[in-house]
Amino acid sequence: MKWSLQLGRIAGIRIYVHATFALLVVWLGARTLAEGAGPAAFARDLTFVLLLFGCVVLHELGHALTARRFGIATRDITLLPIGGVARLEKMPERAWQELLVALAGPAVNLVIAVVLVLASVAAGRGMPAVPSDPWQAPLLERLAWVNVMLLVFNLVPAFPMDGGRALRALLAMRVSNLRATRVAAGLGQLIAFGFGLLGLLGNPFLILIALFVWIGAAAELAMVEVKTALASIAVEAAMLTRFDAVAPQEPLERAIQLTLEGSQKDFPVLERGELRGVLSQERLVAGVARGGAGLVVADVMEPAPPAAHPRDPLAPALERLQDGSVRMVPVVEAGELRGILTADNVFELLRFQSALDAWTRSNRGSSTRATNSTNRKEDTRCRLATG
Ligand code: ZN
């Protein structure tokens, strides 16, 4: 995440704190001032907040290390004022694995709370009572209760919070992943709306969490929808078959002319029908700035990225386009360039696909109509496939 400062590394996972975390410290200071409390009270509250976020790191490590057992790496863990985020490389494929990964975080808070309660009992202080004013209670007692609160709060089924993820996983054991995600995301947004309303009554953090849940639910649902739509589509359905190519010895002027005449941004570089490289718009602009329009394509082109086969599934190719590692995937069959794939035309296909799906859903009245719509879908795929 941008604007993040690395704190360190635990179990090989980088831990960051986001710049907005400073807001929390400022808020704490303002609170101390408003109450007329001294620096000692501020130091005590700050210690509590730091210990609390220590517990949040352990919670996130619970998710990350459980995911690791299923072969999924975690990119990093970032602390925000509203909590922590562990960025897993991907979600587990199996529902029971997702369930365990989701529950592992709250389970850590349960363990911390139990340990703190046992420590309190062992120290002869007895069972910690629910503090009437949490800010005034002794540190360990506060920490025990805040872990109970983290446990309960995270289990609220507001997808993509932990409870919502667990719910999605449980649903996905009975219905498709897409339907499970739709239900979980819908409930998540409903609860987020409630959080927002409650937040308006005086808790700004709840408003932030509501936004986080609302946007997160929509984004994850969109991702699952795209993935589901792509599962049955081959590269050839989405590839561009009408495109311009340039030759290595052509001047850059030629590529500029093609760019201005059409809408293509990246060009395959062909020599006697064979793919030699790729000329992206960025390289073209940089090349012109460096040597003028007189340079030739071979001077600025990049090596061609690994090609896809027309009947390869679309999803891995789109992943490469989306993570920014390539801007275009050449589609090659028997040594011949059959088409090119860009993120833009994959999304064009998906838009038509979802428009057709919406049409199919609204016309589910009679079986003949349903058959018709499936045929139409096939038609569109063919048409898109041929350009
Ligand atoms: Zn969690």
Side-chain angles (χ1 to χ4, degrees):
M1 228 177 269
K2 275 181 185 169
W3 289 88
S4 296
L5 182 78
Q6 187 173 342
L7 290 179
R9 228 176 227 272
I10 303 179
I13 300 166
R14 285 191 294 268
I15 316 279
Y16 290 94
V17 61
H18 195 259
T20 49
F21 199 83
L23 291 175
L24 190 67
V25 178
V26 172
W27 173 77
L28 215 57
R31 208 182 137 272
T32 318
L33 279 179
E35 287 183 352
F42 176 70
R44 205 189 53 197
D45 289 348
L46 190 61
T47 311
F48 169 65
V49 168
L50 293 180
L51 283 172
L52 162 61
F53 274 84
C55 295
V56 172
V57 170
L58 293 176
H59 169 113
E60 297 305 329
L61 281 171
H63 293 306
L65 297 181
T66 311
R68 184 181 284 180
R69 287 194 72 88
F70 303 130
I72 296 167
T74 299
R75 290 201 181 107
D76 48 48
I77 291 174
T78 304
L79 290 175
L80 298 162
I82 54 166
V85 179
R87 284 200 309 153
L88 271 55
E89 218 135 55
K90 58 175 184 168
M91 281 296 142
E93 293 291 328
R94 293 168 196 276
W96 66 270
Q97 293 179 342
E98 183 179 24
L99 183 66
L100 289 184
V101 171
L103 294 179
V108 169
N109 295 114
L110 180 65
V111 169
I112 297 174
V114 167
V115 166
L116 289 175
V117 167
L118 288 178
S120 171
V121 171
R125 288 214 297 259
M127 194 61 191
V130 185
S132 53
D133 179 358
W135 289 102
Q136 297 308 322
L139 195 65
L140 284 188
E141 223 158 88
R142 267 156 87 177
L143 216 50
W145 278 108
V146 92
N147 273 286
V148 173
M149 276 160 58
L150 282 176
L151 167 71
V152 174
F153 187 69
N154 276 292
L155 287 179
V156 171
F159 183 81
M161 282 171 55
D162 297 339
R165 280 195 192 286
L167 173 71
R168 195 257 298 261
L170 286 172
L171 289 172
M173 290 173 185
R174 298 179 176 274
V175 298
S176 73
N177 190 37
L178 178 61
R179 273 200 68 188
T181 310
R182 279 201 181 125
V183 172
L187 182 63
Q189 290 194 318
L190 194 71
I191 296 175
F193 194 75
F195 280 168
L197 283 181
L198 277 177
L200 288 178
L201 297 178
N203 189 338
F205 288 105
L206 219 43
I207 298 181
L208 284 178
I209 290 171
L211 280 175
F212 186 78
V213 168
W214 185 277
I215 295 169
E220 291 223 12
L221 176 59
M223 205 174 73
V224 173
E225 275 173 343
V226 167
K227 237 180 138 181
T228 312
L230 288 180
S232 58
I233 302 179
V235 162
E236 63 187 342
M239 69 186 185
L240 278 177
T241 51
R242 272 186 297 168
F243 55 87
D244 290 310
V246 289
Q249 293 314 317
E250 280 186 302
L252 293 187
E253 215 177 333
R254 165 87 181 132
I256 298 172
Q257 191 191 354
L258 289 172
T259 307
L260 297 176
E261 279 172 6
S263 57
Q264 203 175 326
K265 289 191 174 70
D266 306 287
F267 298 90
V269 183
L270 291 179
E271 190 174 27
R272 284 184 292 277
E274 249 182 79
L275 185 65
R276 289 281 176 237
V278 165
L279 178 64
S280 68
Q281 194 167 74
E282 277 164 28
R283 293 284 279 238
L284 177 58
V285 171
V288 171
R290 203 180 63 223
L295 285 181
V296 294
V297 169
D299 295 331
V300 293
M301 71 181 191
E302 293 161 277
H309 187 273
R311 277 178 296 285
D312 280 349
L314 194 49
L318 182 63
E319 245 164 58
R320 278 163 62 201
L321 289 167
Q322 277 191 308
D323 69 17
S325 59
V326 296
R327 295 186 37 92
M328 174 222 288
V329 176
V331 185
V332 174
E333 188 178 23
E336 197 185 315
L337 184 68
R338 288 274 318 278
I340 60 173
L341 203 62
T342 66
D344 279 353
N345 61 303
V346 174
F347 285 118
E348 264 169 24
L349 174 81
L350 289 175
R351 281 173 82 180
F352 284 116
Q353 190 82 43
S354 71
L356 278 165
D357 287 346
W359 185 85
T360 310
R361 275 201 298 276
S362 64
N363 286 277
R364 221 170 244 160
S366 70
S367 57
T368 42
R369 280 179 116 174
T371 328
N372 256 339
S373 71
T374 345
N375 287 342
R376 274 171 189 240
K377 193 190 280 182
E378 292 308 318
D379 278 349
T380 313
R381 274 188 208 168
C382 293
R383 240 177 284 142
L384 287 167
T386 50

